[in-house]
Amino acid sequence: HFGDPTLRHLHERKNIVTFEMDTKNGEEFRQMLLFGDCDFLTPAARELIAEGSLITLASKGALDIQPPVTKETTARHVMNVYGVSPEEACYIGDSDHSDGPVISIIKIGAAVANADEQLKKRIRAKGKNGFISENPYTEGTIEALERFKQLI
């Protein structure tokens, strides 16, 4: 399977390949990419996706192809290793398609100002345990961390 240098790099280094597209329907693009008549993916890549060695995550404007490790599986692993329950955890994100699943399992969550609207909606649903920063990127992360100190 891994004769293709791009696939070997993706598998060995656990990287993510992202296809960005001008569409409002990432799932439609995902179906076209995986099953349609396009040359973005090699047959070997399609086979790895079909067998579960690689997974796909679609959002409005992107499709990620990655090993079957997500931020959610990583967060669960880290909480388990350190003996932290989801009620004791906090998380900051900016993208619903990759951060949303983690936000949904933990008690305290934040989104930076530049986060997508779907993630901000998840955060608002947390009530007092959710926070949306006024600042984007790193400044928003620092702002959220300061807020977390008040909540825990």
Side-chain angles (χ1 to χ4, degrees):
H1 284 323
F2 299 108
D4 179 314
T6 302
L7 292 178
R8 188 172 51 253
H9 179 78
L10 180 65
H11 181 261
E12 291 172 358
R13 301 190 190 268
K14 308 292 189 240
N15 289 348
I16 297 173
V17 174
T18 299
F19 292 94
E20 293 187 6
M21 60 255 174
D22 185 20
T23 179
K24 292 190 174 10
N25 187 344
E27 183 57 30
E28 179 182 302
F29 180 76
R30 178 183 169 278
Q31 293 297 322
M32 186 275 300
L33 187 65
L34 297 178
F35 307 112
D37 185 26
C38 72
D39 59 359
F40 288 115
L41 294 177
T42 64
R46 290 176 195 230
E47 186 176 333
L48 290 169
I49 291 166
E51 72 184 28
S53 295
L54 296 174
I55 61 171
T56 61
L57 296 172
S59 67
K60 285 192 291 185
L63 176 73
D64 293 341
I65 301 174
Q66 65 188 60
V69 175
T70 65
K71 290 180 180 181
E72 179 187 0
T73 59
T74 302
R76 287 181 187 276
H77 176 75
V78 169
M79 286 188 290
N80 185 50
V81 166
Y82 289 99
V84 175
S85 73
E87 292 76 31
E88 300 169 297
C90 43
Y91 187 87
I92 305 165
D94 67 353
S95 171
D96 190 62
H97 89 278
S98 61
D99 299 316
V102 183
I103 294 292
S104 68
I105 64 167
I106 54 89
K107 180 177 179 181
I108 301 170
V112 291
N114 58 294
D116 63 43
E117 285 305 314
Q118 188 61 33
L119 184 67
K120 289 178 181 179
K121 183 178 177 181
R122 277 187 203 261
I123 295 296
R124 287 184 195 102
K126 289 190 166 292
K128 66 180 176 75
N129 291 320
F131 175 73
I132 300 172
S133 70
E134 292 183 19
N135 295 297
Y137 307 107
T138 304
E139 294 84 5
T141 300
I142 293 167
E143 187 181 339
L145 289 170
E146 290 296 324
R147 175 64 178 233
F148 286 164
K149 284 200 271 184
Q150 297 170 10
L151 293 174
I152 54 176

